[in-house]
Short mmCIF file of all heavy atoms in Angstrom, two decimals:
data_model
loop_
_atom_site.label_atom_id
_atom_site.label_comp_id
_atom_site.label_asym_id
_atom_site.label_seq_id
_atom_site.Cartn_x
_atom_site.Cartn_y
_atom_site.Cartn_z
N ALA A 171 -2.98 2.10 -8.71
CA ALA A 171 -3.36 0.77 -9.20
C ALA A 171 -4.39 0.17 -8.27
O ALA A 171 -5.22 -0.61 -8.72
CB ALA A 171 -2.11 -0.10 -9.28
N ASN A 172 -4.31 0.53 -6.98
CA ASN A 172 -5.28 -0.02 -6.00
C ASN A 172 -6.55 0.83 -5.99
O ASN A 172 -7.48 0.51 -5.25
CB ASN A 172 -4.66 -0.01 -4.63
CG ASN A 172 -3.58 -1.09 -4.52
OD1 ASN A 172 -3.57 -2.06 -5.29
ND2 ASN A 172 -2.70 -0.93 -3.55
N GLY A 173 -6.62 1.88 -6.76
CA GLY A 173 -7.89 2.58 -6.90
C GLY A 173 -8.01 3.97 -6.34
O GLY A 173 -9.09 4.52 -6.24
N THR A 174 -6.88 4.62 -5.92
CA THR A 174 -6.97 5.97 -5.42
C THR A 174 -7.21 6.93 -6.57
O THR A 174 -6.36 7.07 -7.47
CB THR A 174 -5.72 6.39 -4.63
OG1 THR A 174 -5.52 5.49 -3.57
CG2 THR A 174 -5.84 7.80 -4.10
N LEU A 175 -8.35 7.59 -6.58
CA LEU A 175 -8.68 8.55 -7.63
C LEU A 175 -8.41 10.00 -7.21
O LEU A 175 -7.82 10.75 -7.97
CB LEU A 175 -10.13 8.38 -8.07
CG LEU A 175 -10.58 9.25 -9.23
CD1 LEU A 175 -9.96 8.74 -10.54
CD2 LEU A 175 -12.09 9.24 -9.35
N LEU A 176 -8.88 10.33 -6.02
CA LEU A 176 -8.71 11.68 -5.47
C LEU A 176 -8.02 11.59 -4.12
O LEU A 176 -8.25 10.65 -3.35
CB LEU A 176 -10.06 12.36 -5.28
CG LEU A 176 -10.83 12.89 -6.50
CD1 LEU A 176 -12.23 13.25 -6.10
CD2 LEU A 176 -10.15 14.13 -7.09
N ARG A 177 -7.24 12.61 -3.82
CA ARG A 177 -6.65 12.70 -2.50
C ARG A 177 -6.62 14.16 -2.01
O ARG A 177 -6.18 15.03 -2.73
CB ARG A 177 -5.22 12.17 -2.49
CG ARG A 177 -4.44 12.40 -1.21
CD ARG A 177 -3.18 11.61 -1.13
NE ARG A 177 -3.52 10.19 -0.97
CZ ARG A 177 -2.61 9.22 -1.00
NH1 ARG A 177 -1.35 9.49 -1.22
NH2 ARG A 177 -3.00 7.98 -0.86
N LEU A 178 -7.18 14.34 -0.84
CA LEU A 178 -7.07 15.63 -0.16
C LEU A 178 -6.02 15.46 0.94
O LEU A 178 -6.10 14.52 1.76
CB LEU A 178 -8.41 16.06 0.49
CG LEU A 178 -9.51 16.55 -0.47
CD1 LEU A 178 -10.24 15.32 -1.05
CD2 LEU A 178 -10.50 17.43 0.28
N GLU A 179 -5.06 16.36 0.99
CA GLU A 179 -3.94 16.25 1.86
C GLU A 179 -3.83 17.49 2.75
O GLU A 179 -3.42 18.55 2.27
CB GLU A 179 -2.65 16.06 1.03
CG GLU A 179 -1.37 15.79 1.77
CD GLU A 179 -0.21 15.66 0.83
OE1 GLU A 179 -0.07 14.57 0.22
OE2 GLU A 179 0.52 16.64 0.66
N ASN A 180 -4.27 17.36 4.02
CA ASN A 180 -4.22 18.47 4.97
C ASN A 180 -4.80 19.74 4.42
O ASN A 180 -4.20 20.83 4.49
CB ASN A 180 -2.75 18.69 5.41
CG ASN A 180 -2.14 17.51 6.11
OD1 ASN A 180 -2.81 16.87 6.90
ND2 ASN A 180 -0.88 17.20 5.81
N VAL A 181 -6.00 19.64 3.89
CA VAL A 181 -6.65 20.75 3.18
C VAL A 181 -7.37 21.64 4.19
O VAL A 181 -8.22 21.16 4.97
CB VAL A 181 -7.62 20.24 2.08
CG1 VAL A 181 -8.48 21.35 1.58
CG2 VAL A 181 -6.80 19.60 0.95
N SER A 182 -7.14 22.93 4.12
CA SER A 182 -7.86 23.95 4.87
C SER A 182 -8.41 24.95 3.91
O SER A 182 -7.84 25.25 2.84
CB SER A 182 -6.95 24.62 5.88
OG SER A 182 -6.51 23.72 6.88
N LYS A 183 -9.56 25.51 4.27
CA LYS A 183 -10.18 26.59 3.46
C LYS A 183 -10.78 27.59 4.40
O LYS A 183 -11.60 27.28 5.26
CB LYS A 183 -11.26 26.01 2.54
CG LYS A 183 -12.00 27.09 1.73
CD LYS A 183 -11.05 27.78 0.72
CE LYS A 183 -11.81 28.82 -0.08
NZ LYS A 183 -10.91 29.52 -1.04
N THR A 184 -10.32 28.84 4.21
CA THR A 184 -10.81 29.98 5.04
C THR A 184 -11.46 31.01 4.17
O THR A 184 -10.91 31.39 3.12
CB THR A 184 -9.65 30.60 5.84
OG1 THR A 184 -9.04 29.58 6.64
CG2 THR A 184 -10.12 31.72 6.71
N PHE A 185 -12.65 31.42 4.58
CA PHE A 185 -13.35 32.51 3.87
C PHE A 185 -13.29 33.75 4.75
O PHE A 185 -13.39 33.67 6.00
CB PHE A 185 -14.81 32.13 3.63
CG PHE A 185 -14.99 30.99 2.66
CD1 PHE A 185 -15.23 29.71 3.17
CD2 PHE A 185 -14.93 31.18 1.29
CE1 PHE A 185 -15.42 28.65 2.29
CE2 PHE A 185 -15.12 30.12 0.42
CZ PHE A 185 -15.36 28.86 0.91
N ARG A 186 -13.15 34.91 4.15
CA ARG A 186 -13.16 36.19 4.88
C ARG A 186 -14.42 36.97 4.49
O ARG A 186 -14.71 37.14 3.33
CB ARG A 186 -11.92 37.00 4.60
CG ARG A 186 -10.64 36.36 5.15
CD ARG A 186 -9.46 37.28 5.04
NE ARG A 186 -8.27 36.70 5.60
CZ ARG A 186 -7.93 36.79 6.87
NH1 ARG A 186 -8.71 37.48 7.71
NH2 ARG A 186 -6.85 36.22 7.35
N MET A 187 -15.15 37.38 5.51
CA MET A 187 -16.34 38.21 5.31
C MET A 187 -16.12 39.47 6.10
O MET A 187 -16.40 39.58 7.28
CB MET A 187 -17.58 37.45 5.80
CG MET A 187 -17.77 36.10 5.09
SD MET A 187 -19.16 35.14 5.78
CE MET A 187 -20.53 36.19 5.34
N GLY A 188 -15.55 40.48 5.41
CA GLY A 188 -15.13 41.69 6.11
C GLY A 188 -14.01 41.40 7.08
O GLY A 188 -12.96 40.89 6.70
N GLU A 189 -14.24 41.69 8.34
CA GLU A 189 -13.21 41.42 9.36
C GLU A 189 -13.34 40.01 9.93
O GLU A 189 -12.52 39.61 10.75
CB GLU A 189 -13.36 42.44 10.48
CG GLU A 189 -13.10 43.88 10.05
CD GLU A 189 -11.70 44.11 9.56
OE1 GLU A 189 -10.78 43.57 10.21
OE2 GLU A 189 -11.54 44.78 8.56
N VAL A 190 -14.40 39.31 9.51
CA VAL A 190 -14.65 37.95 10.09
C VAL A 190 -13.97 36.87 9.23
O VAL A 190 -14.11 36.89 8.00
CB VAL A 190 -16.18 37.70 10.16
CG1 VAL A 190 -16.44 36.31 10.72
CG2 VAL A 190 -16.84 38.76 11.03
N LYS A 191 -13.29 35.98 9.90
CA LYS A 191 -12.65 34.85 9.23
C LYS A 191 -13.40 33.57 9.56
O LYS A 191 -13.59 33.27 10.73
CB LYS A 191 -11.15 34.76 9.66
CG LYS A 191 -10.43 33.67 8.92
CD LYS A 191 -8.93 33.73 9.23
CE LYS A 191 -8.62 33.36 10.66
NZ LYS A 191 -7.14 33.27 10.93
N VAL A 192 -13.86 32.82 8.52
CA VAL A 192 -14.59 31.61 8.75
C VAL A 192 -13.78 30.42 8.22
O VAL A 192 -13.39 30.38 7.05
CB VAL A 192 -15.95 31.65 8.00
CG1 VAL A 192 -16.71 30.31 8.16
CG2 VAL A 192 -16.79 32.81 8.45
N GLU A 193 -13.48 29.48 9.10
CA GLU A 193 -12.72 28.28 8.70
C GLU A 193 -13.68 27.21 8.25
O GLU A 193 -14.25 26.52 9.07
CB GLU A 193 -11.87 27.80 9.91
CG GLU A 193 -10.76 28.78 10.28
CD GLU A 193 -9.87 28.21 11.37
OE1 GLU A 193 -10.43 27.68 12.37
OE2 GLU A 193 -8.65 28.27 11.26
N ALA A 194 -13.84 27.09 6.93
CA ALA A 194 -14.77 26.08 6.40
C ALA A 194 -14.24 24.69 6.47
O ALA A 194 -15.00 23.74 6.66
CB ALA A 194 -15.12 26.45 4.94
N LEU A 195 -12.92 24.54 6.30
CA LEU A 195 -12.25 23.23 6.43
C LEU A 195 -10.98 23.43 7.21
O LEU A 195 -10.28 24.43 7.06
CB LEU A 195 -11.90 22.66 5.05
CG LEU A 195 -13.05 22.19 4.13
CD1 LEU A 195 -12.50 21.69 2.80
CD2 LEU A 195 -13.87 21.09 4.82
N ARG A 196 -10.63 22.41 8.03
CA ARG A 196 -9.46 22.49 8.86
C ARG A 196 -8.62 21.21 8.76
O ARG A 196 -8.98 20.19 9.35
CB ARG A 196 -9.84 22.78 10.34
CG ARG A 196 -10.48 24.14 10.55
CD ARG A 196 -10.83 24.38 12.01
NE ARG A 196 -11.95 23.55 12.44
CZ ARG A 196 -12.26 23.34 13.69
NH1 ARG A 196 -11.53 23.87 14.68
NH2 ARG A 196 -13.32 22.61 14.01
N GLU A 197 -7.62 21.25 7.92
CA GLU A 197 -6.66 20.16 7.78
C GLU A 197 -7.34 18.82 7.50
O GLU A 197 -7.16 17.83 8.21
CB GLU A 197 -5.74 20.06 9.00
CG GLU A 197 -4.88 21.29 9.22
CD GLU A 197 -3.90 21.14 10.32
OE1 GLU A 197 -4.00 20.16 11.11
OE2 GLU A 197 -2.98 21.97 10.40
N VAL A 198 -8.14 18.79 6.45
CA VAL A 198 -8.89 17.59 6.08
C VAL A 198 -8.03 16.75 5.14
O VAL A 198 -7.49 17.26 4.16
CB VAL A 198 -10.21 17.95 5.41
CG1 VAL A 198 -10.84 16.75 4.74
CG2 VAL A 198 -11.17 18.58 6.40
N SER A 199 -7.88 15.46 5.48
CA SER A 199 -7.24 14.48 4.60
C SER A 199 -8.21 13.38 4.26
O SER A 199 -8.85 12.85 5.16
CB SER A 199 -5.96 13.94 5.24
OG SER A 199 -4.99 14.96 5.44
N LEU A 200 -8.28 13.01 2.97
CA LEU A 200 -9.25 12.01 2.56
C LEU A 200 -8.84 11.44 1.23
O LEU A 200 -8.39 12.15 0.33
CB LEU A 200 -10.65 12.64 2.42
CG LEU A 200 -11.78 11.78 1.86
CD1 LEU A 200 -12.13 10.65 2.83
CD2 LEU A 200 -12.98 12.62 1.54
N ASP A 201 -8.95 10.12 1.06
CA ASP A 201 -8.78 9.44 -0.20
C ASP A 201 -10.17 9.04 -0.74
O ASP A 201 -11.01 8.59 0.02
CB ASP A 201 -7.95 8.19 -0.12
CG ASP A 201 -6.45 8.49 0.03
OD1 ASP A 201 -6.10 9.69 0.00
OD2 ASP A 201 -5.67 7.56 0.22
N VAL A 202 -10.38 9.23 -2.04
CA VAL A 202 -11.59 8.75 -2.71
C VAL A 202 -11.14 7.73 -3.75
O VAL A 202 -10.25 7.97 -4.53
CB VAL A 202 -12.32 9.91 -3.42
CG1 VAL A 202 -13.54 9.37 -4.15
CG2 VAL A 202 -12.71 10.98 -2.42
N TYR A 203 -11.78 6.54 -3.70
CA TYR A 203 -11.34 5.44 -4.55
C TYR A 203 -12.13 5.38 -5.82
O TYR A 203 -13.33 5.69 -5.90
CB TYR A 203 -11.47 4.11 -3.79
CG TYR A 203 -10.71 4.08 -2.45
CD1 TYR A 203 -11.38 3.75 -1.29
CD2 TYR A 203 -9.40 4.48 -2.42
CE1 TYR A 203 -10.72 3.73 -0.07
CE2 TYR A 203 -8.70 4.44 -1.21
CZ TYR A 203 -9.36 4.10 -0.04
OH TYR A 203 -8.70 4.13 1.14
N ALA A 204 -11.47 4.94 -6.89
CA ALA A 204 -12.12 4.83 -8.22
C ALA A 204 -13.27 3.85 -8.13
O ALA A 204 -13.13 2.74 -7.58
CB ALA A 204 -11.08 4.37 -9.24
N GLY A 205 -14.38 4.24 -8.70
CA GLY A 205 -15.54 3.34 -8.78
C GLY A 205 -16.39 3.21 -7.54
O GLY A 205 -17.27 2.38 -7.47
N GLU A 206 -16.14 4.03 -6.54
CA GLU A 206 -16.91 3.92 -5.30
C GLU A 206 -18.05 4.97 -5.28
O GLU A 206 -18.05 5.95 -5.98
CB GLU A 206 -16.05 4.07 -4.06
CG GLU A 206 -15.63 5.48 -3.72
CD GLU A 206 -14.97 5.57 -2.34
OE1 GLU A 206 -15.30 4.76 -1.42
OE2 GLU A 206 -14.11 6.44 -2.16
N PHE A 207 -19.02 4.64 -4.39
CA PHE A 207 -20.10 5.60 -4.14
C PHE A 207 -19.86 6.11 -2.71
O PHE A 207 -20.08 5.41 -1.73
CB PHE A 207 -21.46 4.90 -4.23
CG PHE A 207 -22.66 5.74 -3.87
CD1 PHE A 207 -22.71 7.09 -4.26
CD2 PHE A 207 -23.72 5.23 -3.17
CE1 PHE A 207 -23.80 7.89 -3.93
CE2 PHE A 207 -24.83 6.02 -2.85
CZ PHE A 207 -24.86 7.34 -3.22
N LEU A 208 -19.33 7.34 -2.62
CA LEU A 208 -18.94 7.93 -1.35
C LEU A 208 -19.97 8.99 -0.98
O LEU A 208 -20.28 9.86 -1.78
CB LEU A 208 -17.58 8.56 -1.47
CG LEU A 208 -17.03 9.27 -0.20
CD1 LEU A 208 -16.59 8.23 0.81
CD2 LEU A 208 -15.88 10.21 -0.55
N VAL A 209 -20.50 8.88 0.22
CA VAL A 209 -21.49 9.86 0.70
C VAL A 209 -20.87 10.66 1.86
O VAL A 209 -20.30 10.09 2.77
CB VAL A 209 -22.76 9.20 1.15
CG1 VAL A 209 -23.70 10.18 1.88
CG2 VAL A 209 -23.52 8.59 -0.02
N MET A 210 -20.94 11.99 1.76
CA MET A 210 -20.52 12.88 2.83
C MET A 210 -21.75 13.51 3.48
O MET A 210 -22.60 14.09 2.79
CB MET A 210 -19.58 13.97 2.29
CG MET A 210 -18.25 13.42 1.79
SD MET A 210 -17.06 14.73 1.43
CE MET A 210 -17.74 15.43 -0.05
N VAL A 211 -21.85 13.32 4.79
CA VAL A 211 -23.03 13.83 5.49
C VAL A 211 -22.56 14.79 6.60
O VAL A 211 -21.44 14.72 7.10
CB VAL A 211 -23.87 12.69 6.12
CG1 VAL A 211 -24.43 11.78 5.02
CG2 VAL A 211 -23.01 11.85 7.11
N GLY A 212 -23.46 15.66 6.98
CA GLY A 212 -23.20 16.58 8.03
C GLY A 212 -24.15 17.77 7.95
O GLY A 212 -24.81 17.98 6.93
N PRO A 213 -24.26 18.52 9.02
CA PRO A 213 -25.17 19.64 9.04
C PRO A 213 -24.69 20.79 8.13
O PRO A 213 -23.52 20.77 7.66
CB PRO A 213 -25.16 20.10 10.53
CG PRO A 213 -23.83 19.62 11.04
CD PRO A 213 -23.52 18.38 10.30
N SER A 214 -25.54 21.78 7.90
CA SER A 214 -25.14 22.93 7.13
C SER A 214 -23.93 23.59 7.81
O SER A 214 -23.87 23.72 9.03
CB SER A 214 -26.28 23.94 7.09
OG SER A 214 -27.39 23.38 6.40
N GLY A 215 -22.94 23.98 7.00
CA GLY A 215 -21.75 24.61 7.53
C GLY A 215 -20.68 23.67 7.96
O GLY A 215 -19.65 24.07 8.49
#
């Protein structure tokens, strides 16, 4: 009712490239509110 549209809860994502394991996300938690303009910034990777 207060506007929470999306919620990420302790989200991790790991990719495997052969024997190499790449942690793309590590325990990310985030709420996205309905009707907002949310910008995510950061370098490649």
Side-chain angles (χ1 to χ4, degrees):
N172 290 338
T174 301
L175 184 72
L176 285 168
R177 170 166 293 173
L178 288 81
E179 185 180 281
N180 298 320
V181 169
S182 296
K183 178 64 179 180
T184 301
F185 295 99
R186 291 188 178 274
M187 303 174 65
E189 298 298 318
V190 179
K191 184 171 69 173
V192 178
E193 293 184 315
L195 291 177
R196 294 181 289 166
E197 297 187 348
V198 168
S199 295
L200 174 68
D201 285 357
V202 178
Y203 305 127
E206 77 170 329
F207 177 40
L208 178 76
V209 170
M210 293 191 288
V211 298
S214 297

